Amino acid sequence: MENVNTVHLAHNPRRTTDVDAVIGARLRLARANAGLSQTIVAEQLGVTFQQIQKYEKGSNRISAATLHNISLIFGLPITFFFDDVGKADVAPNQALERQVELAMTKRGQKLLGVFQRASPKLQASIVALLQAAAGSGDDEDLELDE
Protein backbone atom coordinates (compact mmCIF):
# COMPACT_ATOMS: atom_id res chain seq x y z
CA MET A 1 0.00 0.00 0.00
CA GLU A 2 1.32 3.42 -0.94
CA ASN A 3 1.85 6.12 1.67
CA VAL A 4 -0.61 8.96 1.01
CA ASN A 5 2.10 11.50 1.89
CA THR A 6 4.43 10.26 -0.84
CA VAL A 7 5.03 12.73 -3.64
CA HIS A 8 5.94 11.40 -7.05
CA LEU A 9 7.94 13.72 -9.25
CA ALA A 10 7.07 13.27 -12.89
CA HIS A 11 10.35 14.82 -13.95
CA ASN A 12 14.03 14.17 -13.60
CA PRO A 13 14.88 14.88 -9.92
CA ARG A 14 18.12 16.59 -11.01
CA ARG A 15 16.33 19.03 -13.31
CA THR A 16 15.36 22.40 -11.84
CA THR A 17 11.72 23.36 -11.51
CA ASP A 18 9.62 26.50 -11.19
CA VAL A 19 10.06 26.20 -7.41
CA ASP A 20 13.83 26.57 -7.89
CA ALA A 21 13.19 29.68 -9.98
CA VAL A 22 11.01 31.19 -7.23
CA ILE A 23 13.67 30.48 -4.59
CA GLY A 24 16.34 31.97 -6.86
CA ALA A 25 14.28 35.12 -7.44
CA ARG A 26 13.81 35.44 -3.67
CA LEU A 27 17.58 35.08 -3.20
CA ARG A 28 18.17 37.86 -5.70
CA LEU A 29 15.62 40.07 -3.93
CA ALA A 30 17.16 39.39 -0.51
CA ARG A 31 20.63 40.14 -1.85
CA ALA A 32 19.47 43.37 -3.48
CA ASN A 33 17.68 44.47 -0.31
CA ALA A 34 20.86 43.84 1.68
CA GLY A 35 22.96 45.73 -0.87
CA LEU A 36 25.39 42.83 -1.25
CA SER A 37 27.15 41.76 -4.41
CA GLN A 38 27.06 38.22 -5.71
CA THR A 39 30.78 38.01 -4.93
CA ILE A 40 30.30 38.88 -1.25
CA VAL A 41 27.44 36.39 -0.83
CA ALA A 42 29.49 33.75 -2.65
CA GLU A 43 32.46 34.31 -0.33
CA GLN A 44 30.23 33.94 2.73
CA LEU A 45 28.81 30.67 1.36
CA GLY A 46 32.15 29.33 0.12
CA VAL A 47 31.07 29.14 -3.53
CA THR A 48 31.85 31.14 -6.68
CA PHE A 49 29.88 34.19 -7.75
CA GLN A 50 28.94 32.19 -10.85
CA GLN A 51 27.20 29.70 -8.57
CA ILE A 52 25.19 32.55 -7.02
CA GLN A 53 24.22 33.63 -10.54
CA LYS A 54 23.00 30.11 -11.30
CA TYR A 55 21.03 29.99 -8.04
CA GLU A 56 19.40 33.35 -8.78
CA LYS A 57 18.46 32.31 -12.33
CA GLY A 58 17.02 29.06 -11.02
CA SER A 59 19.32 27.03 -13.24
CA ASN A 60 20.93 25.30 -10.23
CA ARG A 61 19.13 23.97 -7.17
CA ILE A 62 20.00 25.28 -3.73
CA SER A 63 20.50 22.55 -1.16
CA ALA A 64 18.63 22.74 2.15
CA ALA A 65 21.88 23.37 4.04
CA THR A 66 22.91 26.16 1.67
CA LEU A 67 19.45 27.74 1.85
CA HIS A 68 19.70 27.63 5.64
CA ASN A 69 23.06 29.44 5.47
CA ILE A 70 21.61 31.99 3.05
CA SER A 71 18.74 32.70 5.46
CA LEU A 72 21.33 33.28 8.23
CA ILE A 73 23.38 35.64 6.05
CA PHE A 74 20.34 37.81 5.34
CA GLY A 75 18.69 37.38 8.73
CA LEU A 76 15.53 36.09 7.07
CA PRO A 77 13.32 33.17 8.01
CA ILE A 78 13.78 30.30 5.60
CA THR A 79 10.07 30.60 4.77
CA PHE A 80 10.87 33.90 2.98
CA PHE A 81 12.26 31.85 0.10
CA PHE A 82 9.06 29.82 -0.22
CA ASP A 83 6.54 32.65 -0.40
CA ASP A 84 4.24 31.95 -3.36
CA VAL A 85 5.36 28.30 -3.54
CA GLY A 86 2.39 25.96 -3.40
CA LYS A 87 0.09 28.29 -5.27
CA ALA A 88 -1.30 27.19 -8.61
CA ASP A 89 1.37 29.10 -10.53
CA VAL A 90 4.72 28.94 -8.76
CA ALA A 91 6.78 30.46 -11.55
CA PRO A 92 8.26 33.83 -10.61
CA ASN A 93 5.59 36.31 -11.58
CA GLN A 94 6.21 39.56 -13.35
CA ALA A 95 5.48 41.62 -10.23
CA LEU A 96 8.25 39.86 -8.29
CA GLU A 97 10.67 40.32 -11.18
CA ARG A 98 9.84 44.06 -11.32
CA GLN A 99 10.44 44.28 -7.55
CA VAL A 100 13.82 42.62 -7.94
CA GLU A 101 14.77 44.90 -10.83
CA LEU A 102 13.74 48.00 -8.84
CA ALA A 103 15.67 46.79 -5.79
CA MET A 104 18.81 46.46 -7.94
CA THR A 105 18.74 50.13 -9.02
CA LYS A 106 20.31 53.01 -7.07
CA ARG A 107 16.85 54.56 -6.64
CA GLY A 108 15.47 51.27 -5.35
CA GLN A 109 18.36 50.85 -2.92
CA LYS A 110 17.80 54.35 -1.57
CA LEU A 111 14.04 53.81 -1.28
CA LEU A 112 14.49 50.49 0.54
CA GLY A 113 17.07 51.96 2.90
CA VAL A 114 14.83 54.86 3.88
CA PHE A 115 11.75 52.63 4.11
CA GLN A 116 13.54 50.14 6.38
CA ARG A 117 14.53 52.92 8.80
CA ALA A 118 10.91 54.13 9.10
CA SER A 119 8.69 52.90 11.92
CA PRO A 120 6.21 50.11 11.11
CA LYS A 121 3.34 52.61 11.45
CA LEU A 122 4.99 55.01 9.01
CA GLN A 123 5.75 52.12 6.62
CA ALA A 124 2.06 51.15 6.62
CA SER A 125 1.09 54.78 5.93
CA ILE A 126 3.56 55.00 3.05
CA VAL A 127 2.22 51.78 1.53
CA ALA A 128 -1.38 53.04 1.87
CA LEU A 129 -0.42 56.35 0.25
CA LEU A 130 1.32 54.63 -2.66
CA GLN A 131 -1.59 52.22 -3.14
CA ALA A 132 -4.03 55.13 -3.21
CA ALA A 133 -1.81 57.11 -5.61
CA ALA A 134 -1.38 54.11 -7.91
CA GLY A 135 -5.06 53.22 -7.69
CA SER A 136 -4.20 49.63 -6.85
CA GLY A 137 -7.37 49.06 -4.84
CA ASP A 138 -5.48 46.40 -2.86
CA ASP A 139 -7.38 45.83 0.38
CA GLU A 140 -4.60 43.72 1.85
CA ASP A 141 -3.81 44.25 5.54
CA LEU A 142 -1.21 46.98 5.71
CA GLU A 143 0.47 45.78 8.90
CA LEU A 144 4.06 45.17 7.96
CA ASP A 145 6.55 42.87 9.62
CA GLU A 146 9.35 44.64 11.41
Side-chain angles (χ1 to χ4, degrees):
M1 179 184 232
E2 184 175 314
N3 182 341
V4 293
N5 293 326
T6 301
V7 175
H8 293 281
L9 300 176
H11 66 283
N12 180 342
R14 293 180 184 255
R15 185 175 297 153
T16 60
T17 66
D18 287 342
V19 172
D20 298 303
V22 169
I23 293 169
R26 293 285 175 178
L27 169 58
R28 185 173 174 208
L29 182 61
R31 185 178 59 76
N33 285 340
L36 298 176
S37 70
Q38 290 176 333
T39 301
I40 290 171
V41 173
E43 287 171 357
Q44 292 181 1
L45 289 174
V47 299
T48 65
F49 80 90
Q50 291 94 338
Q51 184 63 52
I52 300 300
Q53 288 176 331
K54 291 176 183 180
Y55 289 156
E56 290 182 0
K57 289 180 185 176
S59 57
N60 277 16
R61 289 189 160 176
I62 303 174
S63 73
T66 300
L67 191 57
H68 172 74
N69 290 335
I70 290 168
S71 71
L72 294 175
I73 288 169
F74 295 113
L76 295 168
I78 204 161
T79 55
F80 168 83
F81 298 95
F82 294 95
D83 287 350
D84 299 331
V85 173
K87 294 183 180 175
D89 180 15
V90 296
N93 59 40
Q94 291 178 339
L96 176 59
E97 286 301 316
R98 286 193 306 270
Q99 290 170 5
V100 170
E101 288 171 11
L102 173 62
M104 299 299 284
T105 66
K106 285 185 179 184
R107 183 184 321 157
Q109 291 290 317
K110 188 173 184 177
L111 176 65
L112 288 169
V114 171
F115 188 80
Q116 288 174 330
R117 289 191 304 269
S119 70
K121 186 175 182 179
L122 180 55
Q123 288 177 352
S125 296
I126 291 168
V127 170
L129 174 66
L130 290 173
Q131 286 177 328
S136 71
D138 191 350
D139 293 332
E140 210 174 278
D141 185 9
L142 294 178
E143 292 217 11
L144 301 174
D145 294 339
E146 292 185 42

